[in-house]
DNA sequence: GAGATCAATGTGAACGCTAACAGTTACGTT
DNA sequence: AACGTAACTGTTAGCGTTCACATTGATCTC
C-alpha cells in the first residue's frame, strides 16, 4: 500500500480532480479562449483546491522559451550599474520576464564570454551586457549563435545592438557651462582607462576646448573613486591658475571638493567644479554639485525594448539607441573672478 | 530531401558523433568517474566539434534542481541592498548557483508573496528575501511548502532563517562614542517607520542614553534620503542645546552636514555628527564622517551559506546569524566644548 | 577454470509540460 | 434530413535530460 506521497501536484492531478484532460488544464492556465466557462471554473477550482503551481521549467523545455533574460554586469555596487540594472529588472518584469544576473569582479573578454555561456546554458531568451569597458567587446563578437543581445554603452561597436547615454554630449555640456562662466580653460579628472565613458567624456571635453581655441590641460587619470578625486584635487590645488575642474563622476567630484576645502580653496569662489552622474547625494555636497544627469532608468527600459524586439522579430535589426544627458546647475560653479 | 536543419546540437547528436550512447555523454558532462579516458576524450572532442552546450532546463526538469536561487529585494538602488545582493551573487556563483532577482518598488506582504510565488514557479531552489520591513514578514510565514528561504534583517522573526547585522549594537556604538566625547545627550534622526533597521537603531540609541541616565530627546523621523537629513538638520540647528546628532544612515548624515553648514554651525566644533553604513563617499564628506560600518558582503555570503545548508540538509534547522557592526571614527565628532 | 566482482557502457522510462492533431458535440443552412 | 462549420475537448508525441536498471567484458579469487 503506497502512503499518500505529498509531492507537488502536477497538471495531471488537476485534470483528474476536475474531470478533464490535462490539455484542458493547460488551456485554462494559458488563457486559451476555447474553453467553456463552466469547465474553466471547474478547473480553476481544482487548481486552488490542490494548490497547484505551474512548472515553468517543464514549459520552457517544450516551448524553448524561458521568459528569463540574462544580465552581465560589472560591479553592481556602483551607482550607475545598480541603477541601470534596476531599470532593466523593472522593465523586464513588466514585460513578463525574469532577470538572471551575473556580476563580474573583473572584466575581461573571457569572463564575459563565460558569463554569457552560463546564461545560454540556463536557457535565457536574451542577454544584456552592462560592461562599459573596451575589454568586454571581444566577448560580444562571439555570442552563442542566434542569441539576442544588447550592450549598454557599447555604442561604436560592430554587430550588436546597443543603448547608451551620450557621453560626449554630457561632457560638452559640462565644459561649455564652465567656459560660459568665463573660465579660461577647464581641467579634467578622467575615469579609468579602457572605459568607454572615460573616453567619451575626454572627447567631449577636449572638443569644446579646442573649438573655443582654449588650451587643453593634461587630464588627470582617476578611477571613479572619491579618493582618486581627492588626490587629483590636491594636485590641482597646488597648481597656479586652475579655476575650473570637470570630474568624470560625482564621487570623484566629492573627493575634489574635500581636497580643495582642506587646502582652503573656496568652491565656487576660487574654483568651480562640475561632476557627472547626478547621484542622489550630490545635491547635498558642500557646496551642492553642478553635474551632468544620466537617466539610467531610461537606459534600462530601452535595453529591454530593444532586446524584446530582437527576441520577437528575430536578429534582423541591430539598433543603436542614444539617450541624451541632462545638466543640472547647482552651487559648485560660478562666474570667474 | 531534408535541408540540414541548423538547430542546436543535443546530447543525442554528440552521442552519434562520438559513437557512444547519450548516457555516456551525460556521464562525461557530469564528471562521472566510470568512463574510460579514451571514451571521455572522444566525447569531449565531439562536444567541441559540434559546439554542443548542455541544456540546463532539461536537466532541471528531471533533477528537480535548477541551481538557481531567487532574490527578492526592495529598491536595489540603495547602497545597502545593492551591496548585499552583490555579496549574495558572488557567493552563489562561487557555489555554482545562478541568481534570479526580483526587485520591488513597494513592499507589502502581497508583493513579496507574489514575487516568491513567481520564483517558485520558475523552479528556484531557494530564496533570500532582502526586505527589511515589518510588512514583508507575513509573506515569509506562507512560503510555498518546503521552499528553503533566508531573510536578511528579519532577526526577531518566527519560522525562517535570518542573517542580519546587529543594528542595536551599531546604534550603541554610535551613541556611546558621542557620550564618551562628553556630550550631554544625543539627538537621533531615524529611518522610515516599519523598517527593522529603524527600530533597532532607535532601540540601541535609547538604551545607551537611558543606561547613562541621560534625557532622551524626541527622535526626528527621516526616510534614508539626504533631503530628510537636511530638513532634520535645519530643525536641529534652530534648537538650543543640540551638540550631538546620530543619523540613522550616512546619506541623512550628509544632509545634516549640509544643513548645519548653511546655518553656520561648525562640525564638529559646535555639533558632532555620526552616521550609519560607511558608504564609500562618507570618508570624503565635509568633514569626513564618523560612522558605523556594516559588512554587507559578509551578510550576502552568510545568506548563501545558510540557504545552501538548508537546501542540502532539508529544512531542519532554522538559523539566526548576526554579523557584528564596526565603528570608524573620522572628523565629524569631537569632545564637547 | 567456474563463479564472483567490478568497471564501463547501453536501454528504456520518466520529468511536467505544450503542439499538433483528432475527435465530439451543437447549431445553422439548404 | 443531410451536411458543413464552429466551439470545445481529448490523445499522442515529443522537448533534452537524468535515473534505474540491464548488459557486457575483464579481472580476480580459491
Amino acid at each position: 500500500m503506497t502512503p499518500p506521497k505529498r509531492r507537488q501536484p502536477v497538471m495531471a492531478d488537476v485534470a483528474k480532480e476536475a474531470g478533464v484532460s490535462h490539455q484542458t488544464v493547460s488551456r485554462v492556465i494559458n488563457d486559451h479562449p476555447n474553453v467553456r466557462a463552466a469547465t474553466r471554473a471547474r478547473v480553476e477550482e481544482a487548481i486552488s483546491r490542490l494548490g497547484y503551481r505551474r512548472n515553468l521549467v517543464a514549459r520552457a523545455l517544450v516551448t524553448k522559451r524561458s521568459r528569463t533574460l540574462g544580465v552581465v554586469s560589472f560591479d553592481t555596487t556602483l551607482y550607475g550599474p545598480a541603477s541601470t540594472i534596476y531599470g532593466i529588472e523593472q522593465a523586464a518584469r513588466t514585460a513578463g520576464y525574469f532577470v538572471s544576473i551575473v556580476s563580474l569582479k573583473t572584466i575581461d573578454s573571457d569572463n564575459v564570454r563565460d558569463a554569457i555561456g552560463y546564461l545560454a546554458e540556463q536557457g535565457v531568451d536574451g542577454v544584456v551586457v552592462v560592461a562599459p569597458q573596451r575589454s568586454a567587446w571581444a566577448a560580444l563578437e562571439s555570442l552563442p549563435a542566434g542569441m539576442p543581445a544588447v550592450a549598454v554603452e557599447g555604442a561604436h561597436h560592430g554587430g550588436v545592438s546597443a543603448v547608451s547615454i551620450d557621453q560626449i554630449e554630457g561632457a560638452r555640456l559640462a565644459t561649455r557651462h564652465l567656459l560660459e562662466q568665463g573660465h579660461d580653460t577647464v581641467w579634467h579628472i578622467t575615469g579609468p582607462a579602457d572605459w568607454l565613458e572615460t573616453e567619451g567624456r575626454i572627447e567631449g571635453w577636449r572638443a569644446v576646448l579646442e573649438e573655443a581655441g582654449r588650451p587643453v590641460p593634461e587630464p588627470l587619470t582617476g578611477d571613479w573613486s572619491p579618493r582618486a578625486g581627492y588626490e587629483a584635487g590636491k594636485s590641482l590645488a597646488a597648481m597656479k591658475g586652475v579655476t575650473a575642474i570637470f570630474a568624470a563622476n560625482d564621487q570623484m567630484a566629492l573627493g575634489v571638493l574635500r581636497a580643495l576645502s582642506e587646502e582652503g580653496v573656496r568652491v565656487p569662489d576660487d574654483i568651480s567644479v562640475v561632476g557627472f552622474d547626478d547621484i542622489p547625494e550630490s545635491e547635498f555636497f558642500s557646496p551642492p554639485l553642478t553635474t551632468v544627469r544620466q537617466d539610467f532608468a531610461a537606459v534600462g527600459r530601452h535595453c529591454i525594448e530593444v532586446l524584446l524586439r530582437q527576441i520577437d522579430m528575430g536578429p534582423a535589426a541591430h539598433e543603436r539607441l542614444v539617450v541624451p544627458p541632462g545638466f543640472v546647475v547647482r552651487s559648485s560653479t560660478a562666474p570667474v573672478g
Side-chain angles (χ1 to χ4, degrees), chain A:
Chain A
M1 184 160 51
T2 31
K5 272 283 177 56
R6 269 316 270 142
R7 58 182 232 302
Q8 290 279 38
V10 300
M11 206 171 255
D13 301 323
V14 176
K16 194 189 296 176
E17 177 82 8
V20 297
S21 74
H22 61 130
Q23 182 59 259
T24 298
V25 177
S26 172
R27 288 195 182 98
V28 169
I29 285 176
N30 296 297
D31 285 321
H32 189 97
N34 291 353
V35 178
R36 207 154 28 117
T39 310
R40 181 182 300 276
R42 207 141 36 87
V43 170
E44 270 159 1
E45 205 202 337
I47 286 176
S48 74
R49 192 158 48 227
L50 263 41
Y52 167 76
R53 307 215 71 132
R54 63 198 169 160
N55 181 327
L56 294 181
V57 173
R59 190 225 285 270
L61 180 60
V62 39
T63 58
K64 298 179 182 316
R65 287 295 206 81
S66 62
R67 294 198 79 83
T68 296
L69 266 19
V71 175
V72 179
S73 172
F74 174 74
D75 191 351
T76 49
T77 279
L78 294 170
Y79 178 73
S83 305
T84 306
I85 289 177
Y86 185 71
I88 289 172
E89 199 278 335
Q90 295 295 321
R93 196 144 45 82
T94 303
Y97 280 78
F98 291 95
V99 169
S100 205
I101 294 192
V102 176
S103 69
L104 267 17
K105 264 204 270 277
T106 57
I107 291 286
D108 61 64
S109 187
D110 288 347
N111 271 344
V112 177
R113 201 193 323 273
D114 285 355
I116 295 177
Y118 289 137
L119 290 168
E121 289 181 342
Q122 204 209 15
V124 297
D125 297 342
V127 294
V128 7
V129 180
V130 188
Q133 286 100 323
R134 273 225 137 73
S135 39
W137 286 12
L140 291 174
E141 294 283 68
S142 60
L143 284 166
M147 170 71 81
V150 53
V152 175
E153 298 296 350
H156 322 284
H157 193 46
V160 50
S161 296
V163 176
S164 58
I165 292 174
D166 192 335
Q167 302 296 331
I168 298 175
E169 178 58 19
R172 282 179 162 277
L173 254 22
T175 313
R176 200 177 302 134
H177 169 77
L178 256 6
L179 256 30
E180 280 166 1
Q181 304 284 308
H183 296 278
D184 202 45
T185 188
V186 176
W187 293 74
H188 182 41
I189 305 170
T190 75
D194 188 51
W195 284 62
L196 270 11
E197 272 104 333
T198 298
E199 295 171 10
R201 290 171 200 179
I202 291 174
E203 187 179 336
W205 160 76
R206 186 187 303 275
V208 167
L209 290 184
E210 285 174 350
E211 284 162 17
R214 305 303 171 86
V216 180
E218 188 64 20
L220 289 80
T221 303
D223 62 3
W224 304 136
S225 76
R227 175 160 304 284
Y230 177 80
E231 276 152 17
K234 286 282 189 180
S235 316
L236 258 10
M239 293 170 66
K240 281 271 168 272
V242 176
T243 67
I245 302 175
F246 165 40
N249 76 342
D250 285 359
Q251 299 209 353
M252 293 198 296
L254 174 64
V256 170
L257 257 22
R258 177 74 207 138
L260 296 184
S261 139
E262 282 182 10
E263 297 301 320
V265 178
R266 294 164 306 159
V267 176
D269 316 69
D270 302 326
I271 295 186
S272 287
V273 176
V274 175
F276 208 114
D277 276 355
D278 194 26
I279 62 176
E281 287 86 355
S282 48
E283 189 181 349
F284 296 90
F285 286 176
S286 299
L289 189 68
T290 294
T291 191
V292 178
R293 170 172 294 162
Q294 306 206 75
D295 190 348
F296 294 109
V299 170
R301 279 198 311 278
H302 285 133
C303 281
I304 296 304
E305 284 166 17
V306 170
L307 196 53
L308 293 187
R309 213 171 297 145
Q310 220 173 121
I311 290 172
D312 293 338
M313 337 246 280
H318 290 306
E319 304 183 51
R320 208 122 297 171
L321 233 151
V322 177
V323 178
F327 194 68
V328 9
V329 177
R330 291 199 273 247
S331 321
S332 65
T333 50
V336 69

